[in-house]
Amino acid sequence: MRRSRALAVTLAASAVSFPVLLGPAGVPAAARARACTPGSGPDLRGEDLADADDLPRNLRCADLTGATLNGADLTHRDLTGAILRDASLQGATLSLAHADGADLRGADFTGADLGQFRAKRVKLRGALLIGVYAEQAEFPRSDFTGAILSGAVLTQADLTGSTFASADLTKATMGQVKARGADFTRATMRGTRLGQAHLERAVFTSADLNRAVLTQASLDGADLNGANVNGATFGQARDLDLTGSRGTPADVPADALSPSPTEADRTPEAAQEAAHRAIANDPVRTAAGLLLVVLSGIGLGLTLLFWGLSHRRRKRDLAAFEKERVAVMDDLTRFGDEIDTVDAEMKSGRIDGAPGEWRAALDAYEAARHVLTVARTPYELQGAASAVQHGRASLHRVRTLLSDHGGQR
């Protein structure tokens, strides 16, 4: 008994003498290292926790679905694996907090402080991040699909490999962000400031970059096909390729690859106007001149007919490709969710079995995501779908081993 008491005193003294062993909110490092299943922590669904006195210290894997945390101080808090779907965190402070793998879909972070917030692979689909301060925040491989980040400050944030499809980033400040391989397909980025941003291999397909500022941005391999770059500033941008973009930029480096003639330059109206100008300026009034005009009109008509057919075919092909791309993207997102679920099961059961199959599943996810980012044809999209199929097969074998292990216990 004396020996036990002495040991307890010694451990208590060690905790005071070595605070480095304590993590956010005083959570021991050993406790933080243990994985937990999302939602297995404190059940706080729908609770009003704006008052700090009512807020538990331990929020790991807590279920805070629909909870109200407006103005709450969550500095340094550990929200790893927490569920905050449709929660309200307006004006809350989450600086230096951790939330890897958290489910934040539909959450309202309007005006919140997310400075140096660490959140890898979080789900932020449809979330409201209007006017948030998130300087030096970390959101690698996160899903911002359909999120609203207008006026957000994301200076020096890590957005590597994240998805912002159809997100609203109007007038957001994103200087010096790390967004290599990020997907901004159909995103609204009017007036967004991306100076000195790392945007290598980023996808801006059909994005609205009207009057956006990308001064000194790194754009090696970035895809601006179909993007509206009217009035955008690309001064001193590196490796800029405007092929397939729309509109007229305000400032373009001399070594940039210029776009092909725009669709507006190839429209039937533009062709007719050019023909009328040619006729008006033609001094020939002879019968031969009139015959030439008639023949030119017939040729123009045939040209416009073939142009119209080709244009409609291109539009149909593009629509079909985009539909298939969205389907593959959604399937890849579901596959990522399946990986997260199995990962949580393995950690909660402390099982390290099937490392080869597990690695194969993760590699398949990364391969599919890369292929989806660079795909330009239906055939290439099939490569991404095939990678997901092989990854699911490996994940199924991991699940089988987990089930066998659970049965043996």
Side-chain angles (χ1 to χ4, degrees), residues 65-124:
T65 303
T68 300
L69 296 104
N70 296 335
D73 186 359
L74 297 167
T75 305
H76 283 289
R77 290 298 184 94
D78 188 357
L79 294 161
T80 302
I83 300 176
L84 285 141
R85 291 192 65 172
D86 301 317
S88 181
L89 297 102
Q90 296 181 13
T93 301
L94 295 97
S95 57
L96 296 167
H98 297 250
D100 292 352
D103 186 348
L104 310 174
R105 286 175 288 180
D108 186 355
F109 290 92
T110 300
D113 182 357
L114 300 174
Q116 298 183 22
F117 184 55
R118 300 181 186 178
K120 300 176 182 177
R121 295 188 66 175
V122 293
K123 302 170 185 176
L124 280 154

Side-chain angles (χ1 to χ4, degrees), residues 13 40 67 142 150 183 190 193 238 253 256 261 277 308-309 378 399 406:
S40 63
S142 296
S150 54
D183 187 354
R190 300 174 70 88
R193 305 184 69 84
R238 294 184 293 278
R277 284 199 302 268
L309 294 173
R399 280 200 177 106

Side-chain angles (χ1 to χ4, degrees), residues 5-254:
R5 288 177 181 168
L7 179 59
V9 172
T10 301
L11 291 174
S14 300
V16 174
S17 302
F18 301 100
V20 73
L21 296 177
L22 299 180
V27 180
R32 295 200 321 275
R34 289 196 299 269
C36 56
T37 303
S40 63
D43 187 352
L44 302 167
R45 288 173 292 179
E47 295 287 339
D48 186 349
L49 301 166
D51 188 346
D53 294 336
D54 296 334
L55 197 61
R57 300 302 302 173
N58 180 19
L59 293 173
R60 264 181 86 82
C61 287
D63 191 345
L64 291 152
T65 303
T68 300
L69 296 104
N70 296 335
D73 186 359
L74 297 167
T75 305
H76 283 289
R77 290 298 184 94
D78 188 357
L79 294 161
T80 302
I83 300 176
L84 285 141
R85 291 192 65 172
D86 301 317
S88 181
L89 297 102
Q90 296 181 13
T93 301
L94 295 97
S95 57
L96 296 167
H98 297 250
D100 292 352
D103 186 348
L104 310 174
R105 286 175 288 180
D108 186 355
F109 290 92
T110 300
D113 182 357
L114 300 174
Q116 298 183 22
F117 184 55
R118 300 181 186 178
K120 300 176 182 177
R121 295 188 66 175
V122 293
K123 302 170 185 176
L124 280 154
R125 280 184 170 242
L128 299 178
L129 297 107
I130 303 170
V132 300
Y133 174 82
E135 187 168 304
Q136 296 183 347
E138 298 178 12
F139 292 105
R141 295 180 60 194
S142 296
D143 186 359
F144 289 84
T145 301
I148 300 178
L149 300 99
S150 54
V153 177
L154 293 156
T155 308
Q156 296 182 347
D158 185 355
L159 309 173
T160 304
S162 293
T163 300
F164 291 85
S166 301
D168 185 351
L169 292 149
T170 302
K171 294 185 177 180
T173 300
M174 304 174 67
Q176 300 180 12
V177 296
K178 299 175 183 176
R180 298 179 180 89
D183 187 354
F184 295 96
T185 300
R186 297 184 303 279
T188 301
M189 307 178 75
R190 300 174 70 88
T192 302
R193 305 184 69 84
L194 289 152
Q196 299 182 349
H198 291 277
L199 299 165
E200 295 89 345
R201 303 182 307 284
V203 178
F204 294 94
T205 304
S206 301
D208 187 355
L209 289 160
N210 185 36
R211 298 188 181 279
V213 178
L214 294 97
T215 306
Q216 297 182 350
S218 298
L219 293 157
D220 184 22
D223 182 4
L224 289 157
N225 188 45
N228 175 19
V229 297
N230 193 53
T233 301
F234 293 95
Q236 300 181 44
R238 294 184 293 278
D239 303 306
L240 174 61
D241 184 354
L242 290 168
T243 303
S245 63
R246 300 179 292 111
T248 305
D251 186 9
V252 177

